[in-house]
Amino acid sequence: MGTAITLDLADDLPPGCLHELADQVFAWMREVDARFSTYRTDSEVSRFDRGEVLLSEASADLRFVLEACADLWGATDGFFDAYATGRLDPSGFVKGWAAQVASDRLLAAGAGNHCVNAGGDVRVRGLSPSGEPWRIGIRHPWDAMATCLVLAGTDLAVATSGVYERGRHVLDPRRGAPAGGLRSVTVVGTDLGAADAYATAALAMGVTGIGWLDRLDGHTHAVVTDDARQYHSADLPLSD
């Protein structure tokens, strides 16, 4: 889906086991790309969008993603809209969901200390190789070599949606035009698929998304506006 995936396994397991776990994660990510990439005309999501695959014929993963996107549309008052561009594009949920599934599978396999990073959407569990909580840097929205905040924790799902790499690619579905007002939105929770979608929705809302995030139960956030103002939740898990 046009993004880089990195994996850090911090458990003291045999090298062969670690390599096998890593291979399984990357195989899963390739499977997700083959099924959900909107850049690929032969992906299942592209064929479904063209009407070449019926819902009754769709894979269990595609049906799950479609249902999740419908639920998120309702939960965000329509600002998370997989059809905002006029065609089906569930990428604002799929990337985080895929990384969350990878993390869940690692945990189930006994690798409880890990970091999965899908293009800046990060799921961490347990401890880092140093034996300390994981530290997650939030990219500075004007300086690619700097961070504006650093988070720390042992069980975090951190998703960021911004305009600094792909431009104003997130649309305000009510206006059918690129969203403005916010430069970067980071949402922190325990489910990366939901956090990814909420970050996308808040970016689509513009500055009104800040108040919406303040009312979002079970999540914290950090926001940078177009005019360089920064806001974040009082209980955001900031690094010391």
Side-chain angles (χ1 to χ4, degrees):
M1 292 178 287
T3 193
I5 309 296
T6 62
L7 174 64
D8 194 341
L9 299 174
D11 286 283
D12 187 18
L13 297 171
C17 178
L18 293 173
H19 282 295
E20 181 179 353
L21 289 171
D23 287 345
Q24 290 172 1
V25 167
F26 290 116
W28 161 245
M29 290 298 188
R30 286 191 292 270
E31 179 184 338
V32 170
D33 182 66
R35 178 162 290 140
F36 291 102
S37 175
T38 58
Y39 300 104
R40 300 174 58 154
T41 59
D42 63 340
S43 69
E44 186 180 14
V45 76
S46 293
R47 291 185 293 115
F48 180 83
D49 189 49
R50 294 194 300 266
E52 298 170 7
V53 175
L54 300 177
L55 183 60
S56 60
E57 302 168 333
S59 67
D61 284 340
L62 178 55
R63 292 197 302 272
F64 173 84
V65 165
L66 292 172
E67 183 175 348
C69 287
D71 290 343
L72 288 161
W73 182 87
T76 62
D77 199 21
F79 278 98
F80 180 83
D81 188 347
Y83 287 93
T85 63
R87 60 168 296 191
L88 176 60
D89 182 0
S91 303
F93 169 75
V94 165
K95 186 173 62 161
W97 164 73
Q100 178 70 42
V101 170
S103 175
D104 291 344
R105 290 178 177 179
L106 287 170
L107 183 65
N113 300 284
H114 61 259
C115 172
V116 182
N117 185 335
D121 290 343
V122 181
R123 187 64 169 96
V124 297
R125 278 182 158 124
L127 300 175
S128 70
S130 68
E132 299 293 327
W134 295 94
R135 289 165 52 85
I136 305 106
I138 307 303
R139 206 198 103 161
H140 193 288
W142 280 279
D143 184 352
M145 302 303 293
T147 58
C148 60
L149 290 170
V150 178
L151 310 181
T154 59
D155 186 14
L156 298 177
V158 182
T160 299
S161 185
V163 303
Y164 41 79
E165 288 188 350
R166 296 172 56 195
R168 297 201 175 277
H169 65 288
V170 173
L171 299 181
D172 175 347
R174 296 188 176 182
R175 296 187 299 114
L182 301 182
R183 180 86 177 169
S184 172
V185 176
T186 297
V187 175
V188 182
T190 57
D191 183 277
L192 193 54
D196 196 6
Y198 291 149
T200 301
L203 192 69
M205 293 176 192
V207 292
T208 61
I210 300 172
W212 181 79
L213 288 168
D214 286 337
R215 300 186 297 273
L216 189 60
D217 289 339
H219 296 79
T220 56
H221 65 274
V223 173
V224 180
T225 66
D226 283 345
D227 56 359
R229 290 174 293 151
Q230 186 179 111
Y231 302 91
H232 65 75
S233 305
D235 53 348
L236 189 71
L238 296 170
S239 175
D240 294 333

